């Protein structure tokens, strides 16, 4: 099933006819201020709610996708984990680039970092570029949405903790500061446009990623080339910081990162997962 958040944080299922079937009624009413957390509640209760959600989605109806305003599918995750330097070809391009002062270590040496969860944005939000005189890059990444939480999740159980997958952009200012600053600006974690539930993605290491800036193909890669695969990321990260339903994991970018300027349309597509576009603009 493909799930979206839209309008005033309603939750919907996307149908093959490009309509959105409202699932919000499956969840208890929340105070307005807590509506961004609605998707967390759906994920938490998914095993119990899934049959009803599937029946509603199959019953047809809904409204045209074009008539709603899509938000980030998980608008308010508690945590956003990310895997650094997780493709060898990206490691090589960074070693040979003017953007990184020192050659970065590969992923298996570096472990993980955290992006601010407030950086999450959706397909209708601009990517706000905070500097006019700094290099700001796109990083196309497969994003895992955690379903069942846990601490020190064993590798062999790890994929069972994934609720679903989405496209993500790990936007990054290049430079000497800590990653948590360079990657945590507001709108620096566009995700979506939907979350596809894990049952529809038989093998997260068998996906193709493409990223365009305007018409130019910049990144083209396969998730089988990750240095640390998805299940080991979950095991490693949850050993450090307990995972909770709805947490996002950015799984690392392949080669082909490059600069984004005001006006650019950045589009990422992942086979079997979906597509996300967001336009960059200068931050006021
Ligand atoms: Mn990244």
């Amino acid at each position: 099933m493909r799930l979206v958040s839209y309008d005033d944080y309603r939750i919907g299922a996307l149908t093959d006819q490009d309509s959105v079937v409202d699932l919000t009624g499956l969840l208890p009413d929340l105070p307005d201020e807590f509506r961004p957390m609605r998707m967390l509640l759906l994920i938490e209760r998914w095993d119990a709610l899934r049959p009803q959600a599937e029946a509603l989605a199959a019953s047809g109806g809904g409204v045209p996708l074009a008539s709603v305003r899509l938000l980030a599918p998980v608008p308010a995750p508690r945590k956003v984990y990310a895997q650094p330097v997780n493709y060898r070809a990206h490691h090589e391009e960074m070693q040979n680039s003017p953007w990184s002062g020192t050659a970065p270590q590969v992923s298996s040496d570096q472990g993980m970092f955290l992006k601010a969860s407030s950086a999450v944005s959706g397909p209708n939000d601009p990517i706000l570029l905070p500097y006019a005189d700094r290099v700001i890059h796109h990083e196309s990444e497969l994003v895992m949405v955690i379903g069942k939480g846990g601490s020190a999740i064993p590798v062999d159980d790890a994929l069972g903790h994934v609720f679903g997958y989405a496209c993500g952009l790990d936007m990054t200012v290049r430079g000497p500061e800590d990653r948590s600053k360079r990657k945590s600006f507001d709108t620096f974690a566009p995700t979506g446009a939907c979350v596809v539930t894990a049952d529809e993605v038989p093998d997260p290491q068998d996906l193709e990623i493409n990223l365009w800036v305007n018409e130019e193909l910049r990144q083209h890669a396969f998730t089988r080339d990750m240095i640390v695969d998805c299940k080991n990321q979950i095991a490693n990260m949850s050993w450090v910081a307990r995972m909770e339903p709805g947490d996002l994991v950015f799984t690392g970018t392949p080669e082909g990162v490059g600069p984004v300027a005001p006006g650019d349309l950045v589009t990422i597509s992942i086979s079997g997962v979906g597509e996300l576009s967001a336009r960059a603009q200068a931050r006021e």
Side-chain angles (χ1 to χ4, degrees), residues 134-186:
R134 297 279 302 268
V135 176
I136 299 175
H137 275 182
H138 55 77
E139 296 192 350
S140 63
E141 307 199 7
L142 173 68
V143 172
M144 297 188 278
V145 179
I146 297 302
K148 194 154 62 83
S151 187
I153 295 167
V155 174
D156 291 342
D157 297 345
L159 292 184
H161 287 253
V162 179
F163 174 76
Y165 299 89
C167 298
L169 296 171
D170 176 17
M171 297 303 300
T172 303
V173 177
R174 297 297 175 202
E177 304 101 320
D178 193 89
R179 278 195 181 89
S180 63
K181 175 187 176 185
R182 294 185 291 106
K183 292 168 173 279
S184 285
F185 289 93
D186 289 353

Side-chain angles (χ1 to χ4, degrees), residues 138-143 166-170 190-193 208-213 219 250 252-254 265-271 273-278:
H138 55 77
E139 296 192 350
S140 63
E141 307 199 7
L142 173 68
V143 172
C167 298
L169 296 171
D170 176 17
T191 51
E208 179 181 347
I209 302 179
N210 286 290
L211 178 136
W212 296 263
V213 173
Q219 297 189 271
F250 279 69
T253 190
L265 183 66
V266 185
T267 301
I268 173 175
S269 171
I270 301 179
S271 57
V273 173
E275 190 171 304
L276 167 74
S277 289

Side-chain angles (χ1 to χ4, degrees), residues 63-276:
V63 297
L65 176 59
S67 70
V68 306
R69 184 176 191 278
L70 291 182
L71 310 169
V74 186
R78 295 176 179 92
K79 285 195 296 310
V80 178
Y81 302 83
Q83 190 73 27
V85 205
N86 200 24
Y87 290 77
R88 298 217 179 271
H90 174 57
H91 177 234
E92 280 163 27
E93 76 180 346
M94 293 308 288
Q95 278 188 306
N96 298 318
S97 81
W99 312 306
S100 54
T102 55
Q105 300 170 291
V106 294
S107 207
S108 42
D109 304 321
Q110 292 203 25
M112 57 168 260
F113 64 94
L114 296 169
K115 280 170 81 83
S117 55
S118 47
V120 168
S121 59
N124 287 294
D125 301 318
I127 301 169
L128 298 175
L129 307 177
Y131 300 109
D133 58 351
R134 297 279 302 268
V135 176
I136 299 175
H137 275 182
H138 55 77
E139 296 192 350
S140 63
E141 307 199 7
L142 173 68
V143 172
M144 297 188 278
V145 179
I146 297 302
K148 194 154 62 83
S151 187
I153 295 167
V155 174
D156 291 342
D157 297 345
L159 292 184
H161 287 253
V162 179
F163 174 76
Y165 299 89
C167 298
L169 296 171
D170 176 17
M171 297 303 300
T172 303
V173 177
R174 297 297 175 202
E177 304 101 320
D178 193 89
R179 278 195 181 89
S180 63
K181 175 187 176 185
R182 294 185 291 106
K183 292 168 173 279
S184 285
F185 289 93
D186 289 353
T187 74
F188 265 33
T191 51
C194 64
V195 174
V196 59
T197 49
D199 56 292
E200 296 192 17
V201 180
D203 181 2
Q205 308 307 142
D206 186 27
L207 303 175
E208 179 181 347
I209 302 179
N210 286 290
L211 178 136
W212 296 263
V213 173
N214 304 316
E215 303 297 310
E216 180 192 353
L217 180 66
R218 294 262 185 97
Q219 297 189 271
H220 170 66
F222 296 90
T223 55
R224 62 172 175 262
D225 292 325
M226 285 183 191
I227 296 170
V228 180
D229 64 11
C230 288
K231 62 182 190 298
N232 275 286
Q233 290 186 38
I234 290 174
N236 295 342
M237 292 167 174
S238 69
W239 184 73
V240 178
R242 173 173 46 89
M243 289 187 158
E244 295 159 299
D247 284 353
L248 304 182
V249 179
F250 279 69
T251 59
T253 190
E255 67 277 18
V257 299
V260 174
D264 283 345
L265 183 66
V266 185
T267 301
I268 173 175
S269 171
I270 301 179
S271 57
V273 173
E275 190 171 304
L276 167 74

